[in-house]
């Protein structure tokens, strides 16, 4: 049999750098995204949004809008049905991040809150009519920025199934007292916005009064179905959510946002299907953001580097319409073998929409603070930063005491250091130059738990000897279609091109949101189990070992055979703590006159367990590192201090790294066997890559310039 490196051969496609099975559809424009489904009799909805952050609607006049050409109906608090208070995804396991829905009353909670939905025959007519809606407001006193109101900070309730506001082990005060050296610093990160290429969109189609189909852009069709069912107070079995392709998610498509609920409400109101697509500007006001954080860290250590205590307190944004604490100190609990440790989480309520998970929520800002502080400690102790980390290496999970399911961090440090030539680094700041550029090298640890969630799949072997495998998961561009095809092909003993993997339909076997880097870890084993079950069913019918699937089915007069696979309890991993690790290495060049920072080299070395597809995994890692460059140097959503409005709702002023900002980034994976995480030995790659990058860059900037920047982004004026 000829072996095609790109397509794999039967039974051995896992581990091959297979091209994306959906790549051709995407580059030819034939992948259908939520807003592109063709629906008969479709109408178009446009949101009217509040320009004020707090107060009441004093008067709303929709008469001119209602009389405009093509207008079919207008929903506002004057005529919209009262919706229930949704169960919070964060606290109560519901599907909604924003629990207070718009149009319920005249109260305004944030700039951009929908106050009306205008439906018309065309999008242009709806847009025109929306501009004719007249609203008068009774403004309230907008509350000031987070950093000015820390005295009002309050602890969140336990969230995400067990994270508590306060955590402690050992005796942190005694540990700090026993320290020879202490680092005590505050690190701050701004609001950032996800802005996936595909904006949020929904097409809602009612079938009679009680059955609903929504084409929504979502990280979890089944989850989105649950949120819609709760909001509209209809049975989940009456709702179908379809989403075969997602143009980027990063967390913002992980919950049921108001737009997705307003589309079916509007459709019911006008008695026709409705399409609602957020504009790029609305992406800054309507679907969450990464919270600002203010993080205070204390590290205490003995002269030879042993950590005696860590304290990490983080304050993030609360909102009047829902909560989602940014769990920045989570990583600090597990990363180093420190016996005395405490962490605290607090919220300050601002007049903004709800923040939400954004690529490696918690770890992304958390590793910036912790890994910057570790660098400061290394400098204070005059110990190499990698050596300091090795002296505090956590051989088991220091929070739970459980062994790791696998831990390749030592190899990440070693192989990364060797590849990067770290030994050549002169530790003295401002010691390396290239012409007029100051050169700096920095490193940091990457860490993400790669969560496990319940997942189910079916595998159907058909009369032609091929297979269709299904699970209601999502592919956010991560490669889920591709790697699940590989997993299924191997489990079935087929070539990948004989397997079709389908996802993105709530009628398929249940899968939780494709978030928390959970897809490979949870859906992977469910797919494998379903395929093994289908194969076992067929093999029981077989008379000889080399009989093909097609001939077994034909001999028994069967059209197909289906196996089911299910993964229920994946967090436990047989008493092992699951975590993916990595080491980030960065070289920067800093213009000493302009304060301009250029990343000239970036290398990430990661432990994700078994790599299902080195090509898509490497793309994930590189994407994360590029985003880390943006976070470190460019990204910041500016909020007006007294109006609480996003100052510029566009991608001209929200700076992102472009090609000229990104050097040739390299990433590779260390070879790690993980016998505990799941039947695939695979941990998950989606979120790990961004963690540690901002700290590695800040550490490199310090090495280049002797200036420590603890407030992101590291914009030029901070270095002058
Ligand atoms: Mo992710 S930020 O858990 O989708």
């Amino acid at each position: 049999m000829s072996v095609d490196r790109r397509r794999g051969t039967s039974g051995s496609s896992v581990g091959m750098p297979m091209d994306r099975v959906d790549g051709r559809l995407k580059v030819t424009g034939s992948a259908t995204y939520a807003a592109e489904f063709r629906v008969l009799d479709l109408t178009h909805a446009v949101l009217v949004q509040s320009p004020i952050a707090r107060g009441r609607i004093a008067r709303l006049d929709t008469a001119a809008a209602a009389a405009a050409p093509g207008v079919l109906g207008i929903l506002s608090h004057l005529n919209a049905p009262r919706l229930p208070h949704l169960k919070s995804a964060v606290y109560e396991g519901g599907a909604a991040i924003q629990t207070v829905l718009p149009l319920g009353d005249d109260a305004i909670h944030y700039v951009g809150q929908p106050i009306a939905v205008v439906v018309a025959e065309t999008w242009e007519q709806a847009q025109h009519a929306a501009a004719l809606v007249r609203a008068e407001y009774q403004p309230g006193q907008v509350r000031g920025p987070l950093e000015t109101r820390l005295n009002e900070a309050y602890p969140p309730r336990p969230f995400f199934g067990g994270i508590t506001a306060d955590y402690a082990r050992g005796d942190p005060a005694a540990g700090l007292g026993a320290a020879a050296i202490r680092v005590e610093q505050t690190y701050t990160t701004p609001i950032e916005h996800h802005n996936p290429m595909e904006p949020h969109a929904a097409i809602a189609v009612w079938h009679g009064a009680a059955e609903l189909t929504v084409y929504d852009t979502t990280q979890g069709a089944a989850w989105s179905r649950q949120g819609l069912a709760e909001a509209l107070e209809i049975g989940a079995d009456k709702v179908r959510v379809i989403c075969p392709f997602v143009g980027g998610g990063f967390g913002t498509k992980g919950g049921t946002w108001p737009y997705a609920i307003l589309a079916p409400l509007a459709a019911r109101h006008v008695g026709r299907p409705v399409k609602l697509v957020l504009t790029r500007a609305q992406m800054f006001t309507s679907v969450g953001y990464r919270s600002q954080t203010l993080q205070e860290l204390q590290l205490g250590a003995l002269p030879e580097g042993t950590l005696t205590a860590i304290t990490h307190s983080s304050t993030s944004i609360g909102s009047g319409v829902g909560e989602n604490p940014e769990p920045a100190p989570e990583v600090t609990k597990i990363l180093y073998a420190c016996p005395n440790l405490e962490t605290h989480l607090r919220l300050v309520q601002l007049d903004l929409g709800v923040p939400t998970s954004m690529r490696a929520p918690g770890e992304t800002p958390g590793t910036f603070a912790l890994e910057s502080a570790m660098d400061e400690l290394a400098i204070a102790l005059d110990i190499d930063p990698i050596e300091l980390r090795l002296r505090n290496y956590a051989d088991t999970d220091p929070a739970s005491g459980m062994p790791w399911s696998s831990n390749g961090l030592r190899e990440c440090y070693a192989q990364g250091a060797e590849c990067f030539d770290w030994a050549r680094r002169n530790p003295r700041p401002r010691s390396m130059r290239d012409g007029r550029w100051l050169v700096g090298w920095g490193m940091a640890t990457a860490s993400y738990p790669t969560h496990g969630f319940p997942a189910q799949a079916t595998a159907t072997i058909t009369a032609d000897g091929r297979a269709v495998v299904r699970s209601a998961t999502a592919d956010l561009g991560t490669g889920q279609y591709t790697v699940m095809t590989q997993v299924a092909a191997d489990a079935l003993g087929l070539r990948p091109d004989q397997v079709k993997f389908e996802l993105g339909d709530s009628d398929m076997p249940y899968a939780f949101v494709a978030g928390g880097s959970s897809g490979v870890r949870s859906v992977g084993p469910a797919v494998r189990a379903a395929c093994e079950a289908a194969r076992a069913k067929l093999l029981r019918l077989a008379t000889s070992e080399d009989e093909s699937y097609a001939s077994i089915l034909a001999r028994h007069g069967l059209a197909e055979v289906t196996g089911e696979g299910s993964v229920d309890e994946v967090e436990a991993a047989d008493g092992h703590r699951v975590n993916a690790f990595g080491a980030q290495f960065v070289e920067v060049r800093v213009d000493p006159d302009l304060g301009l920072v250029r990343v000239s080299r970036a290398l990430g070395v990661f432990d994700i367990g078994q790599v299902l597809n080195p090509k898509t995994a490497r793309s994930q890692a590189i994407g994360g590192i590029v985003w880390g460059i943006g976070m470190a140097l460019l990204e910041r959503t500016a909020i007006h201090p007294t109006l609480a409005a996003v100052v510029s709702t566009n991608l001209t002023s929200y700076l992102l790294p472009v090609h000229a900002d990104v050097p040739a980034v390299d990433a590779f994976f260390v070879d790690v066997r993980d016998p505990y995480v799941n039947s695939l030995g695979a941990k998950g790659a989606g979120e790990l890559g961004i963690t540690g990058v901002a700290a590695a860059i800040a550490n490199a900037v310090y090495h280049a310039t002797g200036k420590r920047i603890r407030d992101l982004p590291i914009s030029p004026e901070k270095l002058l």
Side-chain angles (χ1 to χ4, degrees):
M1 185 185 297
S2 70
V3 176
D4 181 336
R5 219 177 81 84
R6 294 289 154 157
R7 292 165 69 214
T9 167
S10 57
S12 64
S13 75
V14 163
M16 298 291 278
M18 212 173 94
D19 290 343
R20 285 167 193 274
V21 297
D22 51 336
R24 183 171 294 274
L25 284 178
K26 285 186 171 170
V27 299
T28 56
S30 22
T32 308
Y33 292 84
E36 299 175 329
F37 279 85
R38 301 231 170 234
V39 170
L40 210 61
D41 215 19
L42 187 63
T43 69
H44 300 264
V46 164
L47 301 177
V48 182
Q49 297 174 282
S50 167
I52 69 162
R54 195 169 189 212
R56 310 217 147 259
I57 305 169
R59 208 173 70 85
L60 188 70
D61 180 357
T62 59
V71 172
L72 300 165
I74 300 172
L75 275 180
S76 71
H77 72 285
L78 301 174
N79 64 345
R82 291 294 166 266
L83 297 176
H85 182 100
L86 294 186
K87 270 204 303 187
S88 155
V90 174
Y91 292 130
E92 301 156 296
I97 310 292
Q98 179 169 333
T99 52
V100 177
L101 293 176
L103 311 189
D105 55 28
D106 59 1
I108 299 295
H109 303 278
Y110 58 97
V111 171
Q113 176 180 323
I115 59 157
V117 184
V118 178
V119 186
E121 293 286 352
T122 69
W123 180 82
E124 289 79 3
Q125 289 171 331
Q127 187 76 5
H128 171 241
L132 300 176
V133 172
R134 292 282 164 260
E136 286 167 23
Y137 299 91
Q138 188 189 326
Q141 182 65 44
V142 175
R143 294 171 287 184
L146 179 144
E147 54 274 19
T148 64
R149 294 177 42 232
L150 293 173
N151 59 326
E152 292 171 50
Y154 60 94
R157 291 142 59 198
F159 63 103
F160 289 159
I163 301 179
T164 51
D166 301 295
Y167 165 90
R169 63 175 183 248
D171 188 339
L176 285 171
I181 296 269
R182 287 197 227 175
V183 169
E184 295 185 19
Q185 293 295 350
T186 300
Y187 303 86
T188 48
T189 63
I191 290 180
E192 298 154 4
H193 273 86
H194 312 69
N195 270 310
M197 221 191 292
E198 178 207 20
H200 291 45
I203 297 175
V205 187
W206 288 94
H207 317 281
E211 291 208 16
L212 174 68
T213 299
V214 179
Y215 303 91
D216 185 16
T217 177
T218 172
Q219 292 175 222
W223 202 229
S224 171
R225 171 183 61 186
Q226 183 181 324
L228 290 169
E230 281 171 16
L232 301 166
E233 297 180 289
I234 54 178
D237 58 335
K238 303 291 184 214
V239 183
R240 182 175 179 193
V241 174
I242 296 174
C243 181
F245 297 100
V246 182
F250 317 116
T252 179
K253 293 174 182 169
T256 304
W257 293 104
Y259 80 90
I261 297 163
L262 294 176
L265 275 190
R268 192 152 64 187
H269 185 65
V270 300
R272 286 171 59 184
V274 163
K275 169 149 86 176
L276 201 171
V277 183
L278 296 189
T279 62
R280 186 55 67 187
Q282 288 169 343
M283 293 294 289
F284 284 88
T285 58
S286 313
V287 284
Y289 52 89
R290 194 198 297 281
S291 178
Q292 172 186 5
T293 69
L294 189 151
Q295 304 178 58
E296 296 168 283
L297 265 105
Q298 294 178 292
L299 305 182
L302 300 177
E304 87 286 0
T306 307
L307 286 164
T308 57
I310 306 179
T311 74
H312 188 169
S313 304
S314 182
T315 306
S316 64
I317 293 174
S319 155
V321 290
E323 277 184 353
N324 188 11
E326 179 75 28
E330 281 304 285
V331 63
T332 303
K333 296 176 184 173
I334 62 135
L335 206 50
Y336 298 109
C338 180
N340 307 306
L341 182 145
E342 64 182 66
T343 66
H344 304 283
L345 272 173
R346 294 293 182 268
L347 299 175
V348 170
Q349 206 175 92
L350 303 186
D351 297 311
L352 295 174
V354 198
T356 194
S357 292
M358 179 160 141
R359 200 148 186 187
E363 274 73 7
T364 298
T367 52
F368 166 64
L370 175 63
E371 291 297 285
S372 293
M374 284 295 280
D375 199 65
E376 299 201 50
L377 181 63
I379 290 158
L381 293 167
D382 197 18
I383 297 177
D384 175 81
I386 299 178
E387 180 57 29
L388 176 66
R389 286 161 173 84
L390 290 173
R391 287 183 192 175
N392 294 285
Y393 200 80
D395 287 306
T396 54
D397 168 21
S400 67
M402 289 195 291
W404 304 108
S405 67
S406 61
N407 181 337
L409 180 54
R410 229 181 261 282
E411 290 73 26
C412 294
Y413 289 141
Q415 294 182 31
E418 192 186 331
C419 264
F420 198 80
D421 221 356
W422 185 257
R424 271 190 42 231
R425 177 180 182 263
N426 178 341
R428 205 163 42 81
R430 301 181 77 93
S431 61
M432 295 164 70
R433 274 181 178 267
D434 178 12
R436 56 193 292 275
W437 293 87
L438 298 168
V439 176
W441 291 6
M443 63 79 56
T445 310
S447 171
Y448 193 74
T450 77
H451 296 288
F453 298 125
Q456 294 169 8
T458 54
T460 301
I461 299 169
T462 47
D464 56 3
R466 305 166 72 89
V468 180
V469 181
R470 296 186 175 94
S471 177
T473 184
D475 185 331
L476 322 183
T478 50
Q480 180 105 298
Y481 269 118
T482 310
V483 297
M484 292 308 148
T485 302
Q486 291 173 273
V487 168
D490 280 10
L492 291 163
L494 293 173
R495 294 191 317 270
D497 64 353
Q498 296 172 301
V499 175
K500 187 163 171 42
F501 180 70
E502 296 180 345
L503 52 69
D505 183 335
S506 61
D507 278 358
M508 290 176 182
Y510 179 83
F512 187 64
V513 173
S517 300
S518 65
V520 156
R521 191 179 153 195
S522 320
V523 180
V527 162
R528 178 172 160 144
C531 293
E532 285 172 347
R535 185 188 171 111
K537 269 191 190 173
L538 265 191
L539 292 187
R540 277 197 293 275
L541 302 173
T543 49
S544 88
E545 276 196 12
D546 49 12
E547 218 176 342
S548 72
Y549 288 154
S551 61
I552 304 169
L553 286 167
R555 203 159 43 75
H556 290 269
L558 293 169
E560 57 181 48
V561 158
T562 295
E564 293 174 13
S566 174
V567 169
D568 306 321
E569 262 306 329
V570 281
E571 281 298 2
D574 198 18
H576 291 76
R577 172 77 183 230
V578 178
N579 206 78
F581 296 100
Q584 308 277 13
F585 293 83
V586 169
E587 176 184 273
V588 298
R589 269 140 218 269
V590 183
D591 184 314
D593 302 320
L594 301 177
L596 193 67
V597 179
R598 288 283 190 206
V599 175
S600 43
R601 277 201 295 157
L603 167 68
V605 183
F606 303 104
D607 154 26
I608 59 170
Q610 165 78 46
V611 180
L612 299 184
N613 181 326
K615 188 176 182 180
T616 54
R618 184 167 180 273
S619 293
Q620 281 294 292
I622 286 176
I625 294 170
V626 170
W627 198 340
I629 293 172
M631 175 193 182
L633 301 179
L634 299 165
E635 285 188 60
R636 169 177 176 259
T637 301
I639 305 290
H640 193 286
T642 56
L643 302 178
V646 175
V647 170
S648 46
T649 52
N650 56 64
L651 292 174
T652 337
S653 350
Y654 185 92
L655 301 181
L656 294 168
V658 296
H659 285 87
D661 299 307
V662 179
V665 173
D666 207 358
F668 66 89
F669 302 96
V670 296
D671 189 16
V672 170
R673 296 275 164 267
D674 190 324
Y676 300 105
V677 58
N678 55 25
S679 61
L680 304 172
K683 293 197 270 198
E687 288 164 296
L688 180 65
I690 188 174
T691 68
V693 177
I697 292 175
N699 298 343
V701 166
Y702 176 82
H703 183 232
T705 64
K707 277 191 187 151
R708 174 66 58 179
I709 308 301
R710 303 184 184 88
D711 176 52
L712 294 185
I714 305 172
S715 42
E717 75 279 5
K718 293 176 189 168
L719 287 170
L720 295 178

